[in-house]
Amino acid sequence: MVDFLIGLFLATLITALFTTRLYRLLFWYSLNSLTLGLLALTVGSRIGDTAMLVSGGITIALKALAIPYILKTLSQKFRLSRQTPPTIKTQYSIILVPAILVFTFYLAEPVTHMVQGNANYVAISISSLFLSLLLMIEHRNIAPKIVGFLSMENALFLLGTTATGGMPMLVELGIFFDLLMAIVVVNLLLYREEVES
Amino acid sequence: MTLFFLLLPPLLMFAASFVKTSRTRKLLPLSSFAVLVPVALLFRLPKPYALWGEYLVADDLNTYILLLSSVVGIGVTLALLTLDRHVKVSEKELYRFYRFFGLFWVGLSLSILANHMGIFWIGLEMATLSTVYMIKTNRSPAAHKEAWNYMIVGAIAISLVLFGIILIYAAYKPLLGEKAMLFDALLANSDRIPSPFLFELGFALTAVGIFVKMGFFPMNLWLAHIERAAFYPVAALFSGILESGVMAGFFRFSTIAAAIDHERLFLFVLVYTLLTLFIVSFLIFRAKDFMRLFSLSGVEHMALIALFWVSGGTFAALLHFGAHAFLKPALFLSTGVLESTGRYHFAGALRGYHGTRGKVFWFLAGLFMLAIVSIPPSPMFFSELYGFGAMIEQAKASDHLLAMLGAITLLLVLLSVIFYRFVAIYQSMKYEGAEEGKTVYISEVLALTIFAVGLAALLLPGTMAFLKGIG
């Protein structure tokens, strides 16, 4: 089940890389967060970690539902461009994505004997970090860049859930708090842009 | 209790910035003075002193950094008083600046005092996000673009740091459990670490995140552009306080990494800083305005501090750190006056000052300008002597003596390029160009005097002994 969810996580992220429309992108991001939340719930119930169950629940509520909805509202309010064509051509991305995956699996190879769980999880987390960076690089518009930043947060969360068996609750809450603050700052920045133009 | 008093002034500042009367305007700088009291108290307490369980612990190192930052904070708030006389800024924006300065200070105090990797990160992220707004107080399109830029690149850098932190946590968790987040526990158990590779992977990611945030290779120009677009107090905050907080994190992480594999850490930082200095020295050579010049020189000094620290020259690194924390904000704050006749005018920037205030200003600004390139008796002169001494000791102990000596020589050549450029600019400021009248306000002179006194205090034997004791 865990493997299946991690696979879905990676698949949704890769699909998001090739999307050219903003709402689709938000949809894939939401699915990405949903798989992440389910993953945390599964792992949490298996190892009996209440903190992880709570943070899985918060992930689903916040990242899979609230943030995509807020971003969609914001994009309507500030009339952001809904066409978001990537600047890196699809044929090059198709080469880049597997290259990143292969590289990160190579990078994580020595870890295989060291992590309690599956070393592939570390590799997948690092590769989703790089893929989110790619998502930020390949777009000129601001909205996909924000989504890229949020997916990066997801990659971090995935690493925290799978490689360490749960971060301390304090850290998890702090990360959520900062995420909310980031959204507020984004909102204010967009708002000022509107006022000035 | 001490923690409460540490966080009270910035929170008060945050709250007071919503009340827009002429009296609050005078009150706001005062609140930054109030930070100094708990910090001074902290100095007298026995170390390590637990401020909040194991999460926030004050030791000599972070008390020193906090003291430096609070002095810089006072200088910056003083200079903010006359910001609207030098640049166009509305009253509302000025209050907003104070508001976010309060938040920034809370985040930064948490991150400097943290003994917990998670809290260090949360504080840093809070400080980063609040600076986005301070950049935005300048209502120009360039500042708007750079605020977004800062938001995105800063977020990437910070995320890399967190990613590294999680990997480090994963490396230690089988051994320490939940305690694997505490810096002192990590250091104490560094010889029993179950998976050094995982730790080193985490450390590399954290270090790269920290380096990106400080403008190291390959992101040399992003801070310079941001500081150019924002108002000058923002640049002073960046170089004096934010980078100090980030550097404090680097000190902590690299101490653990040194305990695990010192040689590899040293090589990693040496290569990184050499690349950085190579590019930065030529960028400085080409710099055409004060902001970019000072910003790039900040990158140079941060690289040197990191290098001295990992070479084992703890004292040199801390002295350099202190000197930079005072000198750079002082220079950034003086750009408000220096650039009052135009952004790209080096020539004649130190001429045309009248009255006592003007004379004190040009004397101090000129002094700082020369002190930043380590002309004695600047504290930087001594710190570089000790730092390069430590590097040569390191070279003698290593297996690659010639390569190391070559690297040190290259470093000195690059530093001499920077030295030459700064002296040339100083001469052009003083002896070339037309004499145009400039206005200096008392608060600026006061801020510069505070920094000058701070610099002189660094040279006192007592301070030196204290810094030597930290290492």
Side-chain angles (χ1 to χ4, degrees):
Chain A
M1 188 63 180
V2 174
D3 287 318
F4 172 69
L5 285 172
I6 288 189
L8 266 189
F9 178 85
L10 197 59
T12 44
L13 186 57
I14 292 174
T15 323
L17 276 173
F18 294 98
T19 349
T20 55
R21 311 287 297 180
L22 184 58
Y23 290 0
R24 287 290 103 190
L25 191 64
L26 291 178
F27 171 72
W28 287 120
Y29 168 70
S30 154
L31 268 192
N32 187 268
S33 318
L34 184 67
T35 49
L36 187 67
L38 289 178
L39 184 79
L41 289 181
T42 321
V43 176
S45 60
R46 184 191 292 166
I47 60 176
D49 187 350
T50 350
M52 200 187 271
L53 288 177
V54 172
S55 59
I58 298 179
T59 307
I60 293 180
L62 196 69
K63 290 187 188 166
L65 300 172
I67 288 180
Y69 179 73
I70 293 171
L71 280 180
K72 188 173 174 182
T73 324
L74 284 181
S75 74
Q76 281 166 347
K77 192 169 150 199
F78 300 115
R79 291 185 291 281
L80 297 182
S81 165
R82 282 167 62 182
Q83 273 114 329
T84 53
T87 45
I88 299 177
K89 283 182 188 160
T90 314
Q91 57 265 42
Y92 298 134
S93 311
I94 285 179
I95 301 170
L96 261 174
V97 171
I100 289 174
L101 287 173
V102 170
F103 170 69
T104 47
F105 272 89
Y106 165 74
L107 192 69
E109 204 268 322
V111 190
T112 324
H113 318 290
M114 298 166 188
V115 191
Q116 311 137 304
N118 198 333
N120 289 346
Y121 299 163
V122 177
I124 290 178
S125 316
I126 299 178
S127 61
S128 26
L129 178 79
F130 287 141
L131 290 176
S132 320
L133 276 176
L134 188 65
L135 184 64
M136 285 165 116
I137 293 167
E138 71 170 11
H139 285 286
R140 291 214 170 278
N141 302 39
I142 204 70
K145 278 193 198 290
I146 297 166
V147 176
F149 163 65
L150 295 169
S151 333
M152 212 154 145
E153 210 82 59
N154 276 359
L156 292 170
F157 197 89
L158 178 70
L159 183 70
T161 316
T162 52
T164 68
M167 304 277 284
M169 195 60 193
L170 185 74
V171 180
E172 303 256 6
L173 289 180
I175 294 171
F176 282 128
F177 170 71
D178 277 325
L179 201 63
L180 280 181
M181 196 165 153
I183 291 293
V184 171
V185 171
V186 163
N187 181 18
L188 289 170
L189 278 179
L190 281 170
Y191 174 68
R192 308 296 302 287
E193 196 162 21
E194 177 83 347
V195 168
E196 272 149 39
S197 58
Chain B
M1 197 61 185
T2 322
L3 183 65
F4 172 72
F5 281 114
L6 267 176
L7 297 184
L8 185 66
L11 289 176
L12 273 183
M13 193 190 275
F14 179 76
S17 69
F18 287 99
V19 190
K20 295 183 178 85
T21 58
S22 58
R23 213 178 299 150
T24 44
R25 186 132 184 222
K26 297 211 172 60
L27 196 75
L28 289 171
L30 279 182
S31 57
S32 70
F33 273 99
V35 181
L36 215 54
V37 180
V39 176
L41 262 178
L42 214 53
F43 250 95
R44 303 179 67 92
L45 291 169
K47 307 283 168 28
Y49 179 74
L51 281 164
W52 177 30
E54 300 170 306
Y55 298 128
L56 298 179
V57 176
D59 56 11
D60 283 335
L61 175 64
N62 57 22
T63 318
Y64 169 64
I65 295 174
L66 200 63
L67 178 70
L68 291 180
S69 307
S70 48
V71 173
V72 177
I74 293 170
V76 171
T77 39
L78 275 177
L80 268 179
L81 281 177
T82 48
L83 177 68
D84 50 353
R85 313 233 179 117
H86 290 296
V87 291
K88 229 179 93 198
V89 54
S90 67
E91 189 92 339
K92 214 174 127 199
E93 304 284 345
L94 206 61
Y95 280 105
R96 184 169 283 136
F97 199 106
Y98 279 110
R99 193 171 307 154
F100 283 91
F101 182 76
L103 279 184
F104 170 81
W105 189 254
V106 172
L108 213 90
S109 324
L110 286 181
S111 117
I112 289 177
L113 290 171
N115 182 36
H116 186 278
M117 292 195 289
I119 293 184
F120 163 74
W121 184 85
I122 291 167
L124 209 58
E125 171 87 348
M126 197 166 157
T128 307
L129 287 175
S130 46
T131 23
V132 172
Y133 240 154
M134 290 195 229
I135 300 170
K136 262 304 274 175
T137 42
N138 187 357
R139 310 192 71 163
S140 67
H144 182 77
K145 185 175 150 283
E146 293 303 338
W148 271 116
N149 217 342
Y150 184 73
M151 166 97 199
I152 302 281
V153 183
I156 292 175
I158 288 283
S159 301
L160 282 176
V161 172
L162 181 61
F163 207 86
I165 287 177
I166 298 176
L167 282 175
I168 293 175
Y169 180 64
Y172 270 101
K173 195 168 183 199
L175 186 67
L176 296 173
E178 294 256 311
K179 276 196 186 269
M181 272 277 168
L182 304 173
F183 283 121
D184 53 358
L186 295 188
L187 188 60
N189 293 293
S190 56
D191 48 341
R192 296 194 297 139
I193 182 168
S195 44
F197 178 81
L198 202 57
F199 173 84
E200 282 181 353
L201 192 64
F203 174 74
L205 280 171
T206 309
V208 170
I210 286 175
F211 288 165
V212 166
K213 197 135 176 44
M214 291 193 295
F216 282 20
F217 176 82
M219 305 292 286
N220 295 111
L221 270 169
W222 79 285
L223 271 180
H225 287 323
I226 287 165
E227 288 172 358
R228 174 74 271 174
F231 288 139
Y232 57 87
V234 179
L237 278 185
F238 267 40
S239 59
I241 307 184
L242 187 58
E243 288 192 0
S244 303
V246 179
M247 204 65 197
F250 178 75
F251 286 165
R252 300 232 174 261
F253 284 111
S254 60
T255 313
I256 303 165
I260 287 174
D261 189 345
H262 184 252
E263 195 146 331
R264 199 174 298 171
L265 165 78
F266 179 70
L267 202 67
F268 173 72
V269 178
L270 179 68
V271 171
Y272 218 108
T273 43
L274 264 183
L275 272 173
T276 308
L277 280 172
F278 183 78
I279 292 173
V280 161
S281 60
F282 293 107
L283 285 176
I284 286 183
F285 197 76
R286 288 171 46 88
K288 301 216 168 32
D289 64 306
F290 284 113
M291 277 294 187
R292 288 204 175 89
L293 179 77
F294 295 150
S295 175
L296 288 167
S297 134
V299 177
E300 172 222 336
H301 287 294
M302 284 295 151
L304 281 180
I305 294 167
L307 195 54
F308 292 163
W309 179 267
V310 297
S311 320
T314 322
F315 166 67
L318 289 175
L319 187 60
H320 205 88
F321 184 87
H324 181 259
F326 287 140
L327 276 171
K328 202 41 73 64
L331 283 173
F332 272 124
L333 292 181
S334 51
T335 48
V337 181
L338 292 177
E339 291 194 338
S340 49
T341 52
R343 281 189 160 185
Y344 298 96
H345 287 197
F346 279 151
L350 276 185
R351 307 176 77 180
Y353 295 100
H354 302 291
T356 329
R357 264 185 268 167
K359 277 183 190 140
V360 173
F361 176 83
W362 89 249
F363 176 72
L364 285 179
L367 208 64
F368 290 147
M369 189 81 190
L370 292 177
I372 199 87
V373 282
S374 351
I375 288 181
S378 156
M380 282 196 170
F381 174 72
F382 300 105
S383 62
E384 283 182 12
L385 272 188
Y386 278 101
F388 281 105
M391 283 184 70
I392 288 173
E393 286 302 317
Q394 186 75 28
K396 280 198 265 179
S398 82
D399 303 331
H400 323 283
L401 181 66
L402 276 181
M404 285 284 302
L405 288 181
I408 293 172
T409 318
L410 177 63
L411 211 61
L412 287 173
V413 170
L414 295 174
L415 287 187
S416 65
V417 171
I418 297 170
F419 180 85
Y420 167 79
R421 183 64 186 150
F422 264 86
V423 172
I425 289 173
Y426 173 76
Q427 285 173 336
S428 147
M429 281 159 77
K430 191 76 196 93
Y431 303 113
E432 288 169 11
E435 202 167 310
E436 288 172 85
K438 299 184 184 73
T439 332
V440 183
Y441 299 98
I442 189 77
S443 66
E444 285 147 10
V445 178
L446 215 57
L448 290 197
T449 317
I450 288 176
F451 288 127
V453 171
L455 272 179
L458 277 181
L459 285 174
L460 294 177
T463 325
M464 294 252 187
F466 173 74
L467 291 183
K468 275 193 177 133
I470 293 178

